[in-house]
Amino acid sequence: MLEQLNYGLFYLINATPASPEWMIDIATFFAKDLISIVPVLAVILWLWGPRNQVVAQRQLVIKVAMALAVSVLMSFALGHLFPHDRPFVAHAGYTFLHHAPDDSFPSDHGTVIFTFALAFLFWHRLWSGAMLMVVAAAIAWSRVYLGVHWPLDMVGGFLVGLMGCVSAAILWSLFGEALYRGISHLYRILFAIPIRKGWVRD
């Protein structure tokens, strides 16, 4: 039943040789490059921002990192416990993006970007989480459109991201404050010169 749904949705979304070239180009950008928003935003939130918000921003970055660590480990485990071929390995549809023929479920890209979006939705602002969820949906669509993932791989990534955020919330309640103090202390040692020069926040 689920496999039939997976195939049906895949053929509904997957591009074909008749698809416009500009759509393929946009999807390729979404699929390959849009994920870079994760490290870029994390660095910006840690290094800069209004002085009265820096602590909250850095705690958010640590929570996100914890959620991502749990999510990626879960994704790795699930991929080995429930191996599933990618569409091009199963000779389904058309492929427009080169990819190794490794396990498809759950999507690593989907896991990372959905974890990131959910973390902002839970711990930052509704608007920022909603915007990142749009980005996550674009990445998820693009990787199915280009033929390297099944739709349910992305659903799996969302669910793993949700579990990662729940786990991170529990871990933060146990030792989050101590972790924040330790990382902040290390940061001030390593970035002493940029901090002193005013290039980044202390």
Side-chain angles (χ1 to χ4, degrees), residues 37-84:
I37 195 172
V38 172
V40 169
L41 264 181
V43 169
I44 290 171
L45 285 170
W46 186 276
L47 295 179
W48 299 286
R51 186 167 295 279
N52 63 341
Q53 294 181 24
V54 167
V55 171
Q57 288 180 186
R58 290 177 179 172
Q59 289 181 346
L60 171 64
V61 171
I62 295 172
K63 288 178 185 176
V64 168
M66 293 167 73
L68 284 171
V70 174
S71 295
V72 169
L73 282 173
M74 283 186 181
S75 177
F76 178 80
L78 286 170
H80 283 77
L81 288 171
F82 305 102
H84 196 286

